[in-house]
Amino acid sequence: AVAAGCDSDDPQLGILSPQESEIACSMSPLPQLPASPTNAVADDAAAATLGQKFYFEDDWAGPLLEDNALGTAGTEGLVSCRVCHDTATFASVDPRGVGTGLHPRHAPGSVNAALYSTAGYTWRGRFDVLWALPRAVFEAGPIFNSSRLRVAHVVYDQYQAEYDAVFTNDTLPDLSDLDRFPAEGRPGDTAWDNMAEADQIAVNTIVANVGKALEAYQRLLMTGDSAFDRFVAGDDTAPS
């Protein structure tokens, strides 16, 4: 009998059983990249370029909580997104994430992350949009051990022109005024809690926009034409 491909009512791929073939056919090709209705720059090339820089930025990392493979406890600026999402696979290379500390869970992959269900953005399913994740990651002790004020200052000091060019409706305030915008702080810290509400909103907007630029970059990290895809398309020799 001639093997039936994925366009058959009863698919049969290579040596796979009909049940296995049906599962394989459901996994390839990847679906159309969905829209990101809450991120106006999700498919903006300049935002993706900025997001790539943010992905590899380590200046907003706080001090290491303990000695680890990255360095000695207390050393700052050693953690970027790529530390937990290595540049070869954009996934975790350790069963537990190694950031400023040792996280109990490994990092989900960044490749194809734009296709994840909301539960897939983190193992606990806490976020309904991809761009919301970085704010929590920045302030998580064993990951970045940082604060939203520190992140905002890094953007202001290093990326002001690029940021303002992308986020034309949210241009950066003058963060050089450290009385208004302390160098470090997050909710619960005296430095943050003493800020004017409007200034807190301005910093939260910056951090949200960092997440939106990161999402724009991750939307470009898509696989395609893998050996598995070619196998599902009918090339029985592709897996070898």
Side-chain angles (χ1 to χ4, degrees):
V2 178
C6 286
D7 56 354
S8 168
D9 292 335
D10 188 17
Q12 179 76 56
L13 301 175
I15 62 171
L16 300 184
S17 70
Q19 293 80 9
E20 292 168 336
S21 296
E22 185 175 354
I23 293 171
C25 289
S26 73
M27 298 170 64
S28 178
L30 292 176
Q32 186 79 17
L33 189 65
S36 182
T38 59
N39 185 356
V41 301
D43 298 305
D44 181 271
T49 297
L50 182 59
Q52 182 180 30
K53 294 179 181 180
F54 288 162
Y55 196 92
F56 290 88
E57 178 59 65
D58 52 21
D59 280 347
W60 40 43
L64 298 184
L65 299 174
E66 57 194 65
D67 294 351
N68 63 28
L70 301 177
T72 57
T75 308
E76 300 187 2
L78 297 179
V79 179
S80 66
C81 298
R82 71 142 193 97
V83 167
C84 288
H85 305 270
D86 78 293
T87 51
T89 64
F90 288 91
S92 176
V93 295
D94 191 279
R96 293 181 293 177
V98 177
T100 49
L102 187 62
H103 198 278
R105 303 179 183 92
H106 75 271
S110 289
V111 171
N112 297 333
L115 296 176
Y116 291 172
S117 68
T118 55
Y121 297 145
T122 65
W123 298 122
R124 294 169 60 190
R126 296 166 55 201
F127 304 98
D128 59 358
V129 289
L130 183 57
W131 59 262
L133 174 60
R135 196 279 305 157
V137 170
F138 287 139
E139 294 184 338
I143 304 178
F144 272 95
N145 193 28
S146 187
S147 71
R148 61 193 68 188
L149 271 167
R150 180 175 180 140
V151 170
H153 277 284
V154 170
V155 174
Y156 181 81
D157 293 341
Q158 300 184 33
Y159 299 102
Q160 183 169 2
E162 294 164 277
Y163 177 97
D164 285 349
V166 171
F167 299 103
T168 55
N169 294 325
D170 296 319
T171 53
L172 291 169
D174 183 7
L175 269 68
S176 65
D177 185 348
L178 295 180
D179 290 330
R180 285 181 60 194
F181 299 99
E184 297 271 3
R186 58 187 179 182
D189 295 343
T190 300
W192 173 267
D193 293 342
N194 287 342
M195 290 174 61
E197 183 180 4
D199 291 341
Q200 293 175 341
I201 291 172
V203 171
N204 286 337
T205 299
I206 294 168
V207 178
N209 285 339
V210 168
K212 291 180 179 182
L214 283 165
E215 180 184 35
Y217 171 56
Q218 290 180 88
R219 285 171 68 84
L220 301 181
L221 301 178
M222 305 296 295
T223 57
D225 195 32
S226 66
F228 176 77
D229 293 316
R230 294 192 296 274
F231 170 72
V232 171
D235 182 357
D236 288 345
T237 66
S240 61

